[in-house]
Amino acid sequence: MKPIEILKELIKFRSLTPSDDGAFNYVSMLLADFSEDRFELNGVTNAIFTKRFGQGPHLCFAGHIDVVPPGEGWASDPFKPVEADGFLYGRGAQDMKSGIAAAICALAAARDFKGTLSLLLTSDEEGEGIYGTREMLSKLREQGALPDFAVVAEPTCEVRFGDTIKIGRRGSINGILTLTGIGGHAAYPDKCINPVHILAPVLASLAGHDLDAGSEDFAPAKIVITDIRGGSQVVNVTPKDVRVMFNVRGGVGLGLKDVRDYVLRLFELDAKDALCSESESCGKLEMSCTAQLRAGASLHLALKSSSKPFLTQRNSKIVQKLSASVQKICGAAAELNTAGGTSDARYFAEFGVETAEFGVRNDTIHQINERVEISDVENLAKIFIDLIENFG
């Protein structure tokens, strides 16, 4: 069973979130000697393929079959794989049907594993991710069947294949700060309360500010401004309000209250000066705060934790064994880091599963003419095969 041939077939499925477009039926055929459990919720299909070889740990390979829309401008049909110059082109070639193909190849080749092997797939990772991996893991916990270790086959490598293993991810906090004053004629500023003028003195302390110093595993948590808007786009009317949108990516230990407290301090406020409320939905925390400013304007801050950070220790068995397999096949040690966006690996960590991420290069993910180097896919399968053979 060749991984590149599996990948070609997987690319043919138009598995736009949250549809698998029949891809799970194809996987089921390839892993016919694995037991299969599918779980559908709100239009999302999840599946786990499991084979118990004997007593020992449960090692799970995981990923998502769904892809982002292809967009316009492809040189060929994005759902008809094209092989050229050592590359395979198609939507999902890197993100992340290549990882699934390599995992299937490794699992199908397994003959003597001291424990249980599985493949967990979802069709809801590129979207909200609410009814996908997290719900599947919750179901497995109810059954007492959670994995002990997991490899999420996301495309992790940067410059060369084998250069990066991700052992964690930063959490993501989204914020919307709204200052509301009194709009009016620009010729009579004394009759207005201009929220932009209130924002201006503190903006430099908000934009690009590091909320912590970072650590060996995580870069500093930086406030990144993503949008500022207000006013009516005319030159003689002062705005009633101004809205600042921002994002913070932070490591373990950074929470909504840390962001809230810093923003309030910029306006000479603290938590007791604001009316704040918290809520949680689908594992995502939200906070809302309202306060009056001395200048007569009002402040409203909305924060939402869209994903939680996680970190797998460097001496974890999954990290050590995966690192050894990568070095064996690639001939060089991989860097262990936590850079990049979010992935479903965070859900495994949330359920206490020691998790690492490793896959092909990520230089064309979500792009027009997405492609993967064929040798990378072949070597990824070899790494997963070696990991299984030497995991005991």
Side-chain angles (χ1 to χ4, degrees), residues 148-199:
D148 300 295
F149 304 95
V151 176
V152 179
E154 286 279 1
T156 60
C157 298
E158 299 290 340
V159 179
R160 61 170 178 81
F161 176 70
D163 65 7
T164 305
I165 295 173
K166 294 194 183 297
I167 59 171
R169 296 275 187 160
R170 297 170 297 172
S172 178
I173 297 174
N174 297 314
I176 301 177
L177 170 66
T178 304
L179 301 177
T180 302
I182 299 175
H185 201 298
Y188 301 95
D190 54 318
K191 296 182 180 181
C192 307
I193 299 177
N194 193 326
V196 175
H197 292 183
I198 297 171
L199 172 66

Coordinates of all heavy atoms in Angstrom, one line a residue, residues 148-199:
D148 N -3.8 6.7 25.1 CA -2.7 7.2 26.0 C -1.8 8.2 25.4 O -1.3 9.2 26.0 CB -1.9 6.0 26.5 CG -2.7 5.0 27.2 OD1 -3.3 5.3 28.3 OD2 -2.9 3.8 26.7
F149 N -1.6 8.0 24.1 CA -0.7 8.9 23.3 C -1.3 9.2 21.9 O -2.1 8.4 21.4 CB 0.7 8.2 23.1 CG 1.4 7.8 24.4 CD1 1.3 6.5 24.8 CD2 2.1 8.7 25.1 CE1 1.9 6.1 26.0 CE2 2.8 8.4 26.3 CZ 2.6 7.1 26.7
A150 N -1.0 10.3 21.4 CA -1.5 10.7 20.0 C -0.5 11.4 19.2 O 0.3 12.2 19.7 CB -2.8 11.5 20.2
V151 N -0.5 11.1 17.9 CA 0.2 11.9 16.9 C -0.8 12.5 16.0 O -1.6 11.8 15.3 CB 1.2 11.0 16.1 CG1 1.9 11.8 15.0 CG2 2.2 10.3 17.0
V152 N -0.8 13.8 16.0 CA -1.7 14.6 15.0 C -0.8 14.9 13.8 O 0.2 15.6 14.0 CB -2.3 15.8 15.7 CG1 -3.2 16.6 14.7 CG2 -3.1 15.4 16.9
A153 N -1.2 14.4 12.7 CA -0.4 14.5 11.5 C -0.5 15.8 10.7 O -0.6 15.8 9.4 CB -0.6 13.3 10.6
E154 N -0.7 16.9 11.4 CA -0.7 18.2 10.8 C 0.6 18.5 10.1 O 1.7 18.1 10.5 CB -1.0 19.3 11.8 CG -2.4 19.4 12.3 CD -3.3 20.1 11.4 OE1 -2.9 20.6 10.4 OE2 -4.5 20.2 11.8
P155 N 0.6 19.4 9.0 CA 1.8 19.8 8.4 C 2.6 20.7 9.3 O 2.2 21.8 9.5 CB 1.4 20.5 7.1 CG 0.0 21.0 7.4 CD -0.6 19.9 8.3
T156 N 3.7 20.2 9.8 CA 4.5 21.0 10.8 C 5.8 21.5 10.3 O 6.3 22.5 11.0 CB 4.8 20.1 12.1 OG1 5.5 19.0 11.6 CG2 3.5 19.7 12.7
C157 N 6.3 21.0 9.3 CA 7.7 21.3 8.9 C 7.8 22.6 8.1 O 6.8 23.0 7.4 CB 8.3 20.2 8.1 SG 8.4 18.6 9.0
E158 N 8.9 23.3 8.3 CA 9.0 24.7 7.7 C 9.9 24.7 6.5 O 9.4 25.0 5.4 CB 9.6 25.6 8.8 CG 8.7 25.7 10.1 CD 7.4 26.5 9.8 OE1 7.4 27.2 8.8 OE2 6.5 26.3 10.6
V159 N 11.2 24.5 6.6 CA 12.1 24.7 5.5 C 12.4 23.4 4.8 O 12.4 23.2 3.6 CB 13.4 25.3 6.0 CG1 14.4 25.4 4.8 CG2 13.2 26.7 6.6
R160 N 12.6 22.3 5.6 CA 12.9 21.0 5.1 C 12.0 20.0 5.8 O 11.6 20.2 7.0 CB 14.3 20.6 5.2 CG 14.8 20.6 6.6 CD 16.2 20.0 6.8 NE 16.7 20.0 8.1 CZ 16.3 19.1 9.1 NH1 15.5 18.1 8.8 NH2 16.7 19.3 10.3
F161 N 11.7 18.9 5.2 CA 10.9 17.9 5.8 C 11.7 17.3 7.0 O 12.9 16.9 6.9 CB 10.5 16.7 4.9 CG 9.8 15.6 5.5 CD1 8.5 15.8 6.0 CD2 10.4 14.4 5.7 CE1 7.8 14.7 6.6 CE2 9.8 13.3 6.3 CZ 8.5 13.5 6.8
G162 N 11.0 17.2 8.2 CA 11.7 16.7 9.4 C 12.3 17.7 10.3 O 12.9 17.3 11.3
D163 N 12.1 19.0 10.0 CA 12.8 20.0 10.8 C 12.0 20.4 12.0 O 12.5 21.1 12.9 CB 13.2 21.2 10.0 CG 12.0 22.0 9.4 OD1 10.8 21.7 9.7 OD2 12.2 22.9 8.6
T164 N 10.7 20.1 12.1 CA 9.9 20.6 13.2 C 8.8 19.5 13.7 O 8.1 19.0 12.9 CB 9.1 21.8 12.8 OG1 10.0 22.8 12.3 CG2 8.3 22.4 14.0
I165 N 8.9 19.3 15.0 CA 7.8 18.6 15.7 C 7.2 19.6 16.7 O 7.9 20.3 17.4 CB 8.4 17.4 16.5 CG1 9.0 16.3 15.6 CG2 7.3 16.8 17.4 CD1 9.7 15.2 16.3
K166 N 5.9 19.7 16.7 CA 5.2 20.6 17.6 C 4.8 19.8 18.9 O 4.1 18.8 18.8 CB 4.0 21.2 16.9 CG 4.4 22.1 15.8 CD 3.3 23.0 15.3 CE 3.7 23.9 14.2 NZ 4.8 24.8 14.5
I167 N 5.2 20.3 20.0 CA 4.9 19.7 21.3 C 3.8 20.5 22.1 O 3.6 20.2 23.2 CB 6.1 19.5 22.1 CG1 6.8 20.8 22.4 CG2 7.1 18.5 21.4 CD1 8.0 20.7 23.4
G168 N 3.3 21.4 21.5 CA 2.2 22.3 22.1 C 1.8 23.3 21.2 O 2.3 23.5 20.1
R169 N 0.8 24.1 21.6 CA 0.3 25.2 20.8 C -0.1 26.3 21.8 O -0.5 26.1 22.9 CB -0.9 24.8 20.0 CG -0.7 23.8 18.9 CD -0.2 24.4 17.6 NE -0.1 23.4 16.6 CZ -0.1 23.7 15.3 NH1 -0.1 24.9 14.9 NH2 0.0 22.7 14.4
R170 N 0.1 27.5 21.3 CA -0.4 28.6 22.2 C -1.9 28.7 22.1 O -2.5 28.3 21.1 CB 0.2 30.0 21.6 CG 1.7 30.0 21.7 CD 2.2 31.2 20.9 NE 1.9 31.1 19.5 CZ 2.1 32.1 18.6 NH1 2.6 33.2 19.0 NH2 1.8 31.9 17.3
G171 N -2.5 29.2 23.2 CA -3.9 29.5 23.2 C -4.2 30.8 22.4 O -3.3 31.6 22.2
S172 N -5.4 30.9 22.1 CA -5.8 32.1 21.3 C -7.0 32.8 22.0 O -8.0 32.2 22.4 CB -6.3 31.7 19.9 OG -6.7 32.9 19.2
I173 N -6.8 34.1 22.3 CA -7.8 35.0 22.9 C -8.1 36.1 22.0 O -7.2 36.8 21.6 CB -7.3 35.5 24.3 CG1 -7.0 34.4 25.3 CG2 -8.3 36.5 24.9 CD1 -6.4 34.8 26.6
N174 N -9.4 36.2 21.7 CA -9.9 37.3 20.8 C -10.5 38.4 21.7 O -11.2 38.1 22.6 CB -10.9 36.8 19.8 CG -10.3 35.8 18.8 OD1 -9.2 36.0 18.3 ND2 -11.0 34.7 18.6
G175 N -10.2 39.7 21.4 CA -10.8 40.8 22.1 C -11.4 41.9 21.3 O -10.9 42.1 20.2
I176 N -12.4 42.5 21.8 CA -13.0 43.6 21.1 C -13.2 44.7 22.2 O -13.9 44.5 23.2 CB -14.4 43.3 20.5 CG1 -14.3 42.2 19.5 CG2 -15.0 44.6 19.9 CD1 -15.6 41.8 18.8
L177 N -12.5 45.8 22.1 CA -12.6 46.9 23.0 C -13.4 48.0 22.3 O -13.0 48.5 21.2 CB -11.2 47.4 23.3 CG -11.1 48.8 24.1 CD1 -11.7 48.6 25.5 CD2 -9.6 49.2 24.1
T178 N -14.5 48.5 22.9 CA -15.3 49.5 22.4 C -15.4 50.7 23.4 O -15.7 50.5 24.5 CB -16.7 49.0 22.1 OG1 -16.7 47.9 21.2 CG2 -17.6 50.1 21.4
L179 N -15.0 51.9 22.9 CA -15.1 53.1 23.7 C -16.3 53.9 23.0 O -16.3 54.2 21.8 CB -13.8 53.9 23.6 CG -12.6 53.2 24.2 CD1 -11.4 54.1 24.0 CD2 -12.8 52.8 25.6
T180 N -17.2 54.3 23.9 CA -18.4 55.1 23.4 C -18.4 56.4 24.1 O -18.4 56.5 25.3 CB -19.7 54.3 23.7 OG1 -19.6 53.0 23.1 CG2 -20.9 55.0 23.2
G181 N -18.6 57.5 23.2 CA -18.6 58.8 23.7 C -19.9 59.5 23.2 O -20.9 58.9 23.1
I182 N -19.7 60.8 22.8 CA -20.8 61.6 22.2 C -20.3 62.2 20.9 O -19.3 62.9 20.9 CB -21.3 62.7 23.1 CG1 -21.8 62.1 24.4 CG2 -22.3 63.5 22.5 CD1 -22.2 63.1 25.5
G183 N -20.9 61.8 19.8 CA -20.5 62.4 18.5 C -21.1 63.7 18.3 O -22.0 64.1 19.0
G184 N -20.5 64.4 17.3 CA -21.1 65.8 17.1 C -20.3 66.5 16.0 O -19.4 65.9 15.3
H185 N -20.5 67.8 15.9 CA -19.8 68.6 14.8 C -18.4 68.8 15.2 O -18.1 69.1 16.3 CB -20.6 69.9 14.7 CG -20.3 70.6 13.4 ND1 -19.1 71.0 13.0 CD2 -21.2 71.0 12.4 CE1 -19.1 71.6 11.8 NE2 -20.4 71.6 11.4
A186 N -17.5 68.6 14.3 CA -16.1 68.8 14.5 C -15.7 70.2 14.9 O -14.7 70.4 15.5 CB -15.3 68.3 13.3
A187 N -16.6 71.2 14.5 CA -16.3 72.6 14.9 C -16.6 72.9 16.3 O -16.2 73.9 16.8 CB -17.1 73.5 13.9
Y188 N -17.3 72.0 17.0 CA -17.6 72.2 18.4 C -17.1 71.0 19.3 O -17.9 70.3 19.9 CB -19.1 72.4 18.6 CG -19.6 73.6 17.8 CD1 -20.2 73.3 16.5 CD2 -19.6 74.8 18.3 CE1 -20.7 74.4 15.8 CE2 -20.1 75.9 17.5 CZ -20.6 75.7 16.3 OH -21.1 76.8 15.5
P189 N -15.8 70.8 19.4 CA -15.3 69.6 20.1 C -15.7 69.6 21.6 O -15.7 68.6 22.2 CB -13.8 69.7 19.8 CG -13.5 71.1 19.5 CD -14.7 71.6 18.8
D190 N -15.9 70.8 22.1 CA -16.2 70.9 23.5 C -17.6 70.4 23.8 O -17.9 70.1 25.0 CB -16.1 72.3 24.0 CG -17.0 73.3 23.2 OD1 -17.0 73.2 22.0 OD2 -17.6 74.2 23.8
K191 N -18.4 70.2 22.8 CA -19.8 69.6 23.0 C -19.8 68.1 22.7 O -20.8 67.5 22.8 CB -20.7 70.3 22.1 CG -20.9 71.8 22.4 CD -22.0 72.4 21.5 CE -22.1 73.9 21.8 NZ -23.1 74.5 20.9
C192 N -18.6 67.6 22.5 CA -18.5 66.1 22.1 C -17.6 65.4 23.1 O -16.8 66.1 23.9 CB -17.9 65.9 20.7 SG -18.8 66.9 19.4
I193 N -17.7 64.1 23.2 CA -16.7 63.3 23.9 C -16.2 62.3 22.8 O -16.9 61.4 22.4 CB -17.4 62.5 25.0 CG1 -18.0 63.5 26.1 CG2 -16.4 61.6 25.7 CD1 -18.7 62.8 27.2
N194 N -15.0 62.6 22.3 CA -14.4 61.9 21.2 C -13.7 60.7 21.7 O -12.6 60.8 22.3 CB -13.5 62.8 20.4 CG -13.1 62.2 19.1 OD1 -13.0 61.0 18.9 ND2 -12.9 63.1 18.1
P195 N -14.2 59.5 21.4 CA -13.6 58.3 21.9 C -12.2 58.0 21.3 O -11.4 57.3 21.9 CB -14.6 57.1 21.6 CG -15.3 57.7 20.4 CD -15.4 59.2 20.6
V196 N -12.0 58.5 20.1 CA -10.7 58.3 19.5 C -9.6 59.1 20.3 O -8.5 58.6 20.5 CB -10.7 58.8 18.0 CG1 -9.3 58.7 17.4 CG2 -11.7 58.0 17.2
H197 N -9.9 60.3 20.8 CA -9.0 61.0 21.6 C -8.7 60.3 22.9 O -7.6 60.5 23.5 CB -9.5 62.4 21.8 CG -9.6 63.3 20.6 ND1 -10.0 64.6 20.6 CD2 -9.3 63.0 19.3 CE1 -9.9 65.1 19.4 NE2 -9.5 64.1 18.6
I198 N -9.7 59.6 23.4 CA -9.5 58.8 24.7 C -8.6 57.6 24.4 O -7.7 57.3 25.2 CB -10.8 58.4 25.2 CG1 -11.6 59.6 25.6 CG2 -10.6 57.5 26.5 CD1 -13.1 59.3 26.0
L199 N -8.7 57.0 23.2 CA -8.0 55.8 22.9 C -6.5 56.2 22.5 O -5.6 55.4 22.9 CB -8.6 55.2 21.6 CG -7.8 54.0 21.0 CD1 -7.7 52.8 22.0 CD2 -8.4 53.6 19.7

